[in-house]
Amino acid sequence: MTKILSGSEVAEALKQKIISEVKNLKQQGFKPVLCIVMVGKQPDSVAYVKSASKKCETMGIGCRIKTLPEDIREEELIKTIQELNEDKTINGIMIMLPLPTHISQKAVKYVISPEKDVDCLNPVNVSKVMSGEKCTFTPCTPSAVMEILKHYGIDIQGKKAVIIGRSMVVGRPLAMMLLKENATVTICHTKTVNLKEETRRADILVAAAGKPKMVKKDMVDDGAIVIDVGINFDEDGKMCGDVDFDGVRQVTSMITPVPKGVGSVTSTVLMKHVIEACKQQNNLA
Ligand code: NAD
C-alpha cells in the first residue's frame, strides 16, 4: 500500500521549530520581520499575501505589506526596494511576481539585497543554488520538496530522480538541489521526446508541469516515490495536482496529495528563511 506523504505534517513540524526559534530570538531582543512588496492588486497576490501574513502571525513573525500602485515607475520601485534593504527593522523581503509588464523583473531582482532575499530572486543566491554552493535562501517550492523528502527519511543518494518541468521557480533549482544530494537527475519538458520512457525510469518522480492530472499510472514504475508540485483546478473547479492521484497511487510506494502536499510546506519554508535572515543579520547564525 502506498504511503501518503503529508505536506501538512511536514509543515506542522517545521512550524513548531520556527515557533521555538522565534521564542529564542525574542528572548535575545530580536523580532524577525518579513516585508512583502506587492505592485498592484492581482487577486492571486492579494490572497497569497493575506495567507502569508496570517502565517507570520501564528509563528510570531512580524509581517509588513508594502502595496504599491500598478503604474509605479521602475525607478520608484527600485528606490523602495533599496530603502527596504537599508531598513534594519526588516529581515526578509519578498516581491510578489509577476510584476506589471512595464517593469523589468530582471532589473528588479538585482536590487534586492542577497542577505534579505528570502524567496531567492537575486542572481547571487540563484547562482549559489545552481553551482551547488551552500545557500541559505533557496527557492521556497523546491525547498519544500526537499523538506518532505528529508522529513520522511527518503534516501536521495544514487536514486534516479526525474523532474517534469524546467522553470526557474521549480524544475531547474530542484534538479540542482537533488543533484547536490547525489541523485542522478533527468529534467523533462515540453520538447522531451518520449516522456513516459523517462518518467518510468524514476525512483523519485517530481511533477511540476502545471498540467492537471497529466501523470498517469502507466508513466510510473512500480514502487516509485511521486511528488506532485502542481496546483491546478479540474473541470469541476476542484484543486488537483499534475498527477492522477487515484490511478498513480496504486503503483507508488509513496505519494504526496494535492491539496495538503507540497503547497502546504512552501510558505512555511519562507518563514524559516526569515528566521535565518534575522539570525545572520544579527550574527547569531
Ligand atoms: P511553468 O509553466 O513556469 O513551467 C512548467 C514547466 O513544465 C515548463 O518547463 C514546461 O516545459 C513543462 N511542461 C509543461 N507541460 C509539459 C508536458 N506536457 N510535458 C512535459 N513538460 C511539460 O510552471 P511553474 O511555475 O514551474 O509551476 C509548475 C506547477 O507547479 C504549476 O501547477 C504551479 O501552480 C505549481 N506550483 C506550485 C507551488 C507550490 O507551492 N506547490 C509553487 C509554484 C508553482
Side-chain angles (χ1 to χ4, degrees):
M1 214 177 71
T2 192
K3 182 178 171 65
I4 308 295
L5 304 176
S6 160
S8 313
E9 181 184 311
V10 179
E12 184 57 33
L14 261 178
K15 180 181 165 184
Q16 291 313 321
K17 275 193 210 155
I18 291 170
I19 288 173
S20 134
E21 294 241 36
V22 170
K23 213 169 133 195
N24 264 336
L25 284 167
K26 283 190 180 161
Q27 275 165 0
Q28 296 174 74
F30 303 106
K31 179 176 175 164
V33 175
L34 168 69
C35 180
I36 305 177
V37 179
M38 182 167 61
V39 180
K41 285 192 174 168
Q42 287 182 47
D44 279 4
S45 296
V46 173
Y48 180 90
V49 168
K50 203 171 149 199
S51 133
S53 78
K54 217 162 131 192
K55 206 153 202 174
C56 280
E57 202 182 311
T58 62
M59 297 186 200
I61 296 171
C63 183
R64 285 194 222 156
I65 297 154
K66 193 114 193 147
T67 309
L68 301 166
E70 175 92 37
D71 60 355
I72 189 170
R73 285 186 305 121
E74 188 176 297
E75 307 84 82
E76 260 183 89
L77 174 62
I78 286 175
K79 193 165 159 265
T80 304
I81 298 167
Q82 284 166 338
E83 282 164 10
L84 295 173
N85 285 344
E86 296 304 317
D87 186 338
K88 296 258 184 297
T89 65
I90 286 168
N91 305 108
I93 304 169
M94 180 189 191
I95 301 167
M96 293 306 298
L97 298 177
L99 291 166
T101 46
H102 68 279
I103 295 175
S104 153
Q105 188 176 309
K106 264 190 194 156
V108 168
K109 68 187 180 184
Y110 279 95
V111 180
I112 182 166
S113 159
E115 284 75 38
K116 294 191 175 184
D117 180 27
V118 286
D119 199 26
C120 194
L121 199 62
N122 189 303
V124 168
N125 286 327
V126 174
S127 82
K128 283 186 185 170
V129 174
M130 291 302 167
S131 63
E133 257 180 78
K134 192 175 178 315
C135 182
T136 313
F137 307 131
T138 48
C140 293
T141 306
S143 304
V145 173
M146 300 305 283
E147 288 286 350
I148 292 173
L149 296 174
K150 192 168 96 188
H151 178 90
Y152 285 102
I154 295 165
D155 194 15
I156 299 171
Q157 178 153 307
K159 296 280 158 51
K160 292 189 217 77
V162 177
I163 302 165
I164 311 174
R166 58 176 164 184
S167 77
M168 277 308 287
V169 183
V170 192
R172 281 174 206 242
L174 178 61
M176 294 305 126
M177 290 158 89
L178 287 164
L179 185 63
K180 192 166 186 232
E181 298 300 322
N182 301 316
T184 302
V185 183
T186 304
I187 307 177
C188 300
H189 45 80
T190 43
K191 301 288 184 282
T192 296
V193 174
N194 190 340
L195 185 63
K196 195 201 286 188
E197 193 178 289
E198 302 297 338
T199 57
R200 283 195 63 87
R201 267 204 279 266
D203 299 313
I204 300 171
L205 175 63
V206 183
K211 295 284 177 305
K213 302 184 187 178
M214 70 166 276
V215 177
K216 305 290 184 201
K217 186 176 158 185
D218 66 349
M219 293 169 71
V220 180
D221 191 17
D222 280 351
I225 296 165
V226 174
I227 309 287
D228 191 352
V229 178
I231 299 179
N232 314 293
F233 293 90
D234 65 15
E235 47 296 342
D236 303 324
K238 223 174 120 204
M239 189 190 279
C240 68
D242 288 354
V243 175
D244 178 19
F245 184 81
D246 292 334
V248 172
R249 69 178 294 180
Q250 294 168 26
V251 293
T252 53
S253 59
M254 299 184 195
I255 187 166
T256 60
V258 176
K260 296 193 171 98
V262 176
S264 316
V265 187
T266 304
S267 54
T268 312
V269 168
L270 179 73
M271 304 306 155
K272 183 180 158 189
H273 289 173
V274 178
I275 303 300
E276 288 305 323
C278 179
K279 290 201 304 200
Q280 285 187 1
Q281 286 153 30
N282 293 291
N283 301 316
L284 302 168

